[in-house]
Amino acid sequence: MRSLRRSLALAITPVLAFSTVQASATTQQQVDVALEWFDVTATTITAAGAPTQVTNNRTWAIGWLAATRALLRTPTTSRPNDYRDAALAGAIHETLVTLVPARKTELDQSLTTTLARIPDGSSESAGLTAGRRQAQTVLASRANDGLDPASVNVPFTPPPATPGIWQPTPPTFSPATQYGNRLAKPFLLRQADQYRPGPPPALDSSRYRRDLAEVRADGAVDSTTRTQAQTDTATFWLGSSYVLYTAPSRVALAEIARKPLVERAKLIALFHVASVDTQIATSDTKYAYQLWRPVTAIRTTADPTWTPLHTTPAHPDYPSGHNTYSGAAEQVLTALVGARTAKPYTIGSPTAPGVTRTYSDWRQLTTENVDARVWSGIHTRTADLVGVTLGRQVAANTLREADRLFR
């Protein structure tokens, strides 16, 4: 957990620092309540979030879904904006104090800060009550959904060592993780295997041989074919997808600052709903096919001492979870924000301290994730590309079925 908190803190610190400076420079101006509570959510999870990525996506999804539901039900009032600001803050505060109780003192102070800007009255109190009520309703609907850390990492016993079948990987040979995701309750998928892709290429196929040869050459720790720029890309995108995509999702929220508050809350809710459902679908596919990792394949068939640039995560190769996540994120952000941003944006990475990269769209993030996992030596390119497609499919389903969440 300490590693998760440190990683997210590094990734969002530049964003939060900018936000603080911006706020101090506009003390008398209206505060953007959506960005304010985005930062509260991110900071809360950084400080005391779950050790499992999907659990933290679930926390975001519940809080921002509750906020959207409350905003969609804005009553006729003389001060509708007061109602909306209080509703959003109330929904997210109620969610976070329930799911991250260690941060209650800080969360109560954040709520006090928001409410102090809103004139006392019936609109404020109604909004706060509505937000809290919607949070309680969504929390109840997600109780025992199998996305708590213990359920996510329920033990998995791999079958006997067989060519092509996943086994724990060096150097630690750790037990499999994330098996329980495939057993969890989705938000909008009808079932975990709804978009399960076909099987990976056969071990004796030309495609698989080509995939493995590429990883062996370009993904080795001592590769002579991987360039420094490729190594840098692999290192930049090495960390948690949740951490790496927190800054881009904040950029997206700011990008639609002129849209109604309900549409902005919906963006963050659907981003994380899609992320949760994508991780469920990813684990379903990984453990349905149980394809061995490149390090196992290469050591078994070609070079018993081969070592990847980066340590291989403890779950099967096909598909790449980083790329299902990036595919889902790209799909949601493109659909709800647009393919390109109004101006370039810059993000950092906890696995490349001090390094930043600048982008003007969402597609390039996906492209770099595909390459990065090959150059890290931990995924085949087919696993990456199939992952992107799966993530896009699940996210498209989220967008089509979104109304079911807001009834």
Side-chain angles (χ1 to χ4, degrees):
M1 180 181 291
R2 185 176 302 156
S3 175
L4 170 71
R5 296 174 191 168
R6 182 167 57 249
S7 295
L8 184 52
L10 286 168
I12 68 173
T13 294
V15 173
L16 298 186
F18 171 77
S19 179
T20 301
V21 171
Q22 187 180 49
S24 64
T26 58
T27 305
Q28 303 303 319
Q29 297 181 21
Q30 184 177 4
V31 174
D32 186 330
V33 71
L35 289 177
E36 178 183 40
W37 280 88
F38 183 102
D39 292 345
V40 169
T41 309
T43 301
T44 298
I45 292 176
T46 300
T52 43
Q53 173 175 281
V54 71
T55 310
N56 292 321
N57 285 122
R58 172 188 185 266
T59 297
W60 280 86
I62 290 173
W64 288 76
L65 171 56
T68 304
R69 289 167 60 101
L71 293 169
L72 284 168
R73 292 161 175 76
T74 301
T76 300
T77 172
S78 60
R79 302 187 69 87
N81 288 337
D82 293 352
Y83 170 94
R84 295 184 185 109
D85 286 0
L88 184 138
I92 299 171
H93 173 271
E94 183 74 11
T95 300
L96 293 176
V97 296
T98 301
L99 298 178
V100 195
R103 296 289 291 179
K104 184 178 188 305
T105 299
E106 294 83 358
L107 289 164
D108 287 350
Q109 181 57 56
S110 294
L111 182 62
T112 298
T113 298
T114 299
L115 296 181
R117 297 196 307 268
I118 305 173
D120 292 339
S122 59
S123 293
E124 178 195 42
S125 58
L128 185 61
T129 298
R132 287 172 169 164
R133 185 187 310 117
Q134 288 296 339
Q136 292 161 4
T137 298
V138 179
L139 283 162
S141 74
R142 297 301 303 181
N144 302 312
D145 60 6
L147 290 169
D148 58 284
S151 298
V152 167
N153 285 327
V154 65
F156 168 76
T157 302
T162 305
I165 300 300
W166 182 84
Q167 295 292 315
T169 52
T172 61
F173 299 94
S174 300
T177 61
Q178 302 177 13
Y179 176 73
N181 280 354
R182 71 191 305 243
L183 310 174
K185 174 185 175 183
F187 277 88
L188 287 172
L189 286 176
R190 303 292 180 178
Q191 54 194 40
D193 65 354
Q194 185 173 343
Y195 294 99
R196 183 191 292 172
L203 301 186
D204 61 355
S205 67
S206 59
R207 183 177 185 182
Y208 189 74
R209 289 196 297 267
R210 184 169 60 249
D211 275 350
L212 209 58
E214 180 185 24
V215 179
R216 184 183 179 188
D218 297 344
V221 67
D222 55 356
S223 172
T224 59
T225 59
R226 186 183 59 247
T227 67
Q228 185 59 52
Q230 291 169 339
T231 300
D232 293 344
T233 296
T235 301
F236 188 90
W237 290 104
L238 180 61
S240 157
S241 291
Y242 162 69
V243 173
L244 288 161
Y245 271 91
T246 295
S249 61
R250 190 187 193 278
V251 168
L253 184 63
E255 189 79 2
I256 57 170
R258 294 186 179 182
K259 287 194 174 183
L261 185 59
V262 65
E263 296 303 317
R264 302 178 73 206
K266 188 180 293 184
L267 167 67
I268 302 304
L270 294 179
F271 181 95
H272 288 282
V273 165
S275 297
V276 170
D277 278 8
T278 293
Q279 289 171 82
I280 291 172
T282 299
S283 288
D284 167 77
T285 303
K286 280 181 178 287
Y287 286 99
Y289 296 121
Q290 298 177 33
L291 181 65
W292 61 4
R293 285 282 188 158
V295 64
T296 307
I298 294 169
R299 287 191 174 193
T300 300
T301 64
D303 180 355
T305 66
W306 187 87
T307 300
L309 173 64
H310 294 127
T311 300
T312 301
H315 40 75
D317 179 53
Y318 180 89
S320 160
H322 266 59
N323 282 290
T324 59
Y325 200 109
S326 63
E330 179 195 334
Q331 188 78 16
V332 171
L333 297 180
T334 299
L336 300 183
V337 179
R340 302 184 64 84
T341 53
K343 58 183 180 180
Y345 63 95
T346 299
I347 61 174
S349 166
T351 51
V355 175
T356 60
R357 292 191 169 210
T358 300
Y359 305 92
S360 57
D361 62 11
W362 318 115
R363 175 64 61 89
Q364 186 60 28
L365 309 183
T366 304
T367 300
E368 290 187 11
N369 264 282
V370 169
D371 289 333
R373 304 310 267 179
V374 174
W375 297 334
S376 283
I378 56 182
H379 274 300
T380 60
R381 186 166 295 275
T382 294
D384 293 340
L385 295 173
V386 169
V388 171
T389 298
L390 177 59
R392 287 172 178 162
Q393 289 174 328
V394 175
N397 179 77
T398 298
L399 297 169
R400 283 194 305 271
E401 301 290 332
D403 286 350
R404 289 168 46 203
L405 295 170
F406 305 126
R407 293 172 184 166

